[in-house]
Amino acid sequence: MRGHLERVRVEGGPSLALVPTMGALHEGHLSLVRIALGRSDLVAVSIFVNPMQFGPGEDFAKYPRDIESDLDLLSDEGVGIVFAPESDAELYHEGFCTSVACRSLVEDRLCGRFRPGHFEGVATVCTVLFMMFRPDIAVFGQKDAQQLALVRRIAKDLRLGVEVVAGPIVRETDGLAMSSRNRYLSAEERRQAPAIYRGLARAGELAAGGETRSRVLLEGARSVIEAGGDLIRLQYLELVDPMTMETMRELDREGLLAVAAHVGPTRLIDNALLTPAPR
Ligand code: AMP
């Protein structure tokens, strides 16, 4: 891949965008592909279910894999380069033992609290991909807001020369954020799951009405989510600074309202950016 890219990438030559994914592609992924296509001459999509970012007892083995459908979808979009390693060794050669950690954005914050090692796996694989592709831009979804902040941070801290571009969250018509993991939901779980979005939307309405107290915004969201059904169990619901992930007590600037919840056995995440109402 590196050799191929070196041949097509000459000084002043085509620009390259990278869209890293774990496959089982849906409209959320394709929206990022379209952003990439609109901004770059060449678009590369990576499809790699990264073992390093799954903890023991998580869903690495059963994570949906559908490479044929993924390749069809990407070819319909006009993507020219797909990197879908068949073996982990194409990314992590034998003896690989380097890792990239970005502690302050992760430790004790949001998903970092519940998925030890997850973000180290994400930071490491993204760094390897960035070094391999050397893209001008990399497009990530706002859906994974903590991941987005982390990738922005490592790109900057390690001077990787890649601009990280964010794409908005793509939702189903009932508000549920698209996710490869939505495939795990039973019919009843799928019916209850949109309450997560409705809770975020409720907090958005409160903020638009002038509410700035974090406690009240969180309570508004929590009550709607919990009323969504008996299969939903909140894991966290927090208002944080979108860049630093630090807790915000007051919505005195843009804030990230982030949620993780189990719906049945499936863990889903979602978020909304809240802005204080103009005074
Ligand atoms: P994944 O395959 O889940 O690792 O996701 C690959 C990329 O797609 C990440 O940058 C995600 O944030 C992004 N993504 C996943 N779901 C959505 C969605 N519903 N809307 C926008 N981006 C998404």
Side-chain angles (χ1 to χ4, degrees), residues 35-66:
I35 292 172
L37 287 162
R39 297 206 24 168
S40 298
D41 304 313
L42 296 170
V43 172
V45 174
S46 64
I47 298 177
F48 180 59
V49 185
N50 174 30
M52 202 177 163
Q53 70 187 68
F54 287 79
E58 290 190 345
D59 56 345
F60 175 70
K62 72 163 186 174
Y63 194 84
R65 291 161 172 88
D66 201 347

Side-chain angles (χ1 to χ4, degrees), residues 1-8 128 130-134:
M1 177 56 73
R2 197 153 179 175
H4 171 70
L5 290 172
E6 273 163 13
R7 281 192 296 281
V8 295
V128 173
F130 290 164
M131 301 311 284
M132 200 171 151
F133 283 84
R134 304 198 175 266

